[in-house]
Structure formats: structure tokens, C-alpha cells
Amino acid sequence: MEHIARDADIAPVAALIADPTRAAMLTALLGGRTLAAGELARVAGVSAATASAHLARLLDGSLVDVVRQGRHRYYRLAGHEIAEVLETLARVSARPPVRSLRQSRQARLLEEARTCYDHLAGRAGVALLDRLRDGGFYDRQDLTSDGERLLTGLGVDVEGARRTRRRFASECLDWTERRSHLGGALGAAITDVLLERGWYRRGSVPRAVVLTDEGREGLAAIFPSKELTSGTPVT
């Protein structure tokens, strides 16, 4: 039987992601933060020993990195490319059924605003890209001159984002909204500023970010948009 030439051997990576425990861990890391093995064990609902075995396989497969701080080890996704693969899989996967009020609240928060690895997603992320495009600040996956001035004035390091090896202002299809939010180096740089200014805060639900009163006022002054300035208030 003749072998078919392939560009890449995707089976080993697919097998690593396909395991439910490892998939739960990788999804938890989509928030862009480093997590300890114990935290990942709780997310996946497994023992510490089982979590360590799965994390070792993810490390061997280059899907996660480990960060050491003293005696402690923290895990993170190996890069934005891994996050893009996971988000793509989420878009074509069935959503789990909501079985409790808690799960319903968590789903609502993730739909409103969350991080897609390191950039804003959900309704808020889609609305941000819409406002940039509608205002003439963004065109064909790049900023216009007005857009550069606007974001630089907000504190975004636009030139720094351009110098990275990552795509600058790519569009990322949102898995809950089925429309694009802003990804790439620019999306990450904007999200950094939104968090640094305290306009968004990380919520109690992993990956969820919550609009603050300061953020509501600041965004309303720049982008009049119901989708951007609504959301669950910080308590």
C-alpha cells in the first residue's frame, strides 16, 4: 500500500488534546494565566498524582510550559499558537449542557467578556472590533493612521506590537459569538492596557473578565457602544 505524503504529523498532538482531563487543563489555561498543578487538578476533577502524569505528557508534547518560582511550579500554554488551536476546536465542538444556576451564571459571564488566551473575547471583544472598524480606526487587519493615534493615546504600545514576530492585528472567530474579535499582538496589547487601567478585572470564573465602573466610563467616552459598556458590574 502506497503511503500518502503529509505536511505534518498532527495525530500525536490531536491525541494529547483528545483526552478529557488534558482538554480540561488546557481549556483552563486559555485564560492566559499560569496555574499550579493543584489548581489544574481541581479544574479537571482528578487527583494530584493523575494531574502530574497528564501535565508531564503535555510538557513532552510542547503544549504547555512550566514556570518555576522557588519550590513551586506553574504551568501555562506554550504559546498563542496553542490557544488558537484550542479556540478553533471550541468553535466546532458541542457546548456542554447547563445543569445548574451556577453553570448558567458562569456561561453568561464567559459570553459577556473573557480572555482568549491574551486578548479580549466574547460580546465585548466582538464589539471592540466592530467599533474600531466602524469608526475608521481599523481596516483589512491593520490600523489606520487615526487608529494608531487613538490607541497610542490610550497607552497601547502599537509600535511594540508591530515589532513582534506574531501577526499584528489578525481577526479571531469568536466561539460564542460566531463573529470575529481582535486577536494578534495588537489585541493582546489592547487587553493589557484595559487590565492595567482597571477597566476590566479578572473575575472569579476562570477566563472571565468583568467591566468596572471606570471601564464603562472610559470606553463610553471613546466608543459609544451598548455592547462594550454593558455587562455584569464588579461587586
Side-chain angles (χ1 to χ4, degrees):
M1 180 177 175
E2 184 179 354
H3 292 287
I4 299 174
R6 294 173 293 179
D7 292 329
D9 186 6
I10 65 174
V13 174
L16 282 173
I17 298 173
D19 179 86
T21 296
R22 293 193 291 273
M25 291 177 170
L26 291 169
T27 300
L29 293 173
L30 263 176
R33 291 189 290 182
T34 58
L35 296 175
E39 295 173 295
L40 291 168
R42 286 191 292 273
V43 166
V46 297
S47 69
T50 299
S52 294
H54 282 294
L55 287 168
R57 293 195 62 181
L58 291 173
L59 278 168
D60 288 342
S62 299
L63 295 186
V64 300
D65 289 331
V66 64
V67 179
R68 293 176 174 81
Q69 292 185 357
R71 295 178 299 167
H72 303 288
R73 291 159 57 95
Y74 297 92
Y75 296 86
R76 64 187 179 191
L77 292 183
H80 62 88
E81 300 91 346
I82 309 302
E84 290 171 4
V85 170
L86 296 173
E87 282 286 323
T88 299
L89 289 173
R91 291 197 295 270
V92 299
S93 302
R95 299 184 66 178
V98 174
R99 304 185 186 277
S100 67
L101 287 175
R102 180 183 180 186
Q103 289 178 343
S104 177
R105 178 179 178 273
Q106 291 175 340
R108 179 169 51 83
L109 289 172
L110 290 172
E111 289 169 359
E112 285 179 3
R114 67 181 182 277
T115 49
C116 173
Y117 185 52
D118 58 3
H119 52 270
L120 187 64
R123 280 193 291 272
V126 169
L128 175 62
L129 179 57
D130 285 346
R131 298 292 76 77
L132 287 170
R133 186 185 288 114
D134 294 346
F137 304 116
Y138 173 91
D139 183 49
R140 300 177 185 177
Q141 301 196 20
D142 201 355
L143 287 177
T144 64
S145 56
D146 287 342
E148 294 219 15
R149 284 192 293 271
L150 175 76
L151 294 180
T152 299
L154 188 63
V156 177
D157 184 3
V158 174
E159 286 306 311
R162 286 193 185 280
R163 288 194 298 268
T164 67
R165 297 176 61 184
R166 186 175 177 180
R167 286 180 294 174
F168 173 61
S170 57
E171 296 183 17
C172 180
L173 185 62
D174 196 279
W175 70 269
T176 55
E177 294 299 297
R178 307 296 175 175
R179 297 172 57 215
S180 293
H181 59 249
L182 183 62
L186 181 62
I190 292 174
T191 303
D192 282 345
V193 169
L194 293 176
L195 291 169
E196 288 169 3
R197 282 176 169 256
W199 288 11
Y200 277 94
R201 294 180 188 170
R202 296 193 182 275
S204 57
V205 176
R207 297 186 64 193
V209 291
V210 186
L211 182 66
T212 65
D213 289 338
E214 294 89 346
R216 185 174 288 105
E217 293 175 3
L219 289 170
I222 303 171
F223 307 112
S225 166
K226 181 179 178 181
E227 291 82 2
L228 264 176
T229 57
S230 63
T232 304
V234 173
T235 56

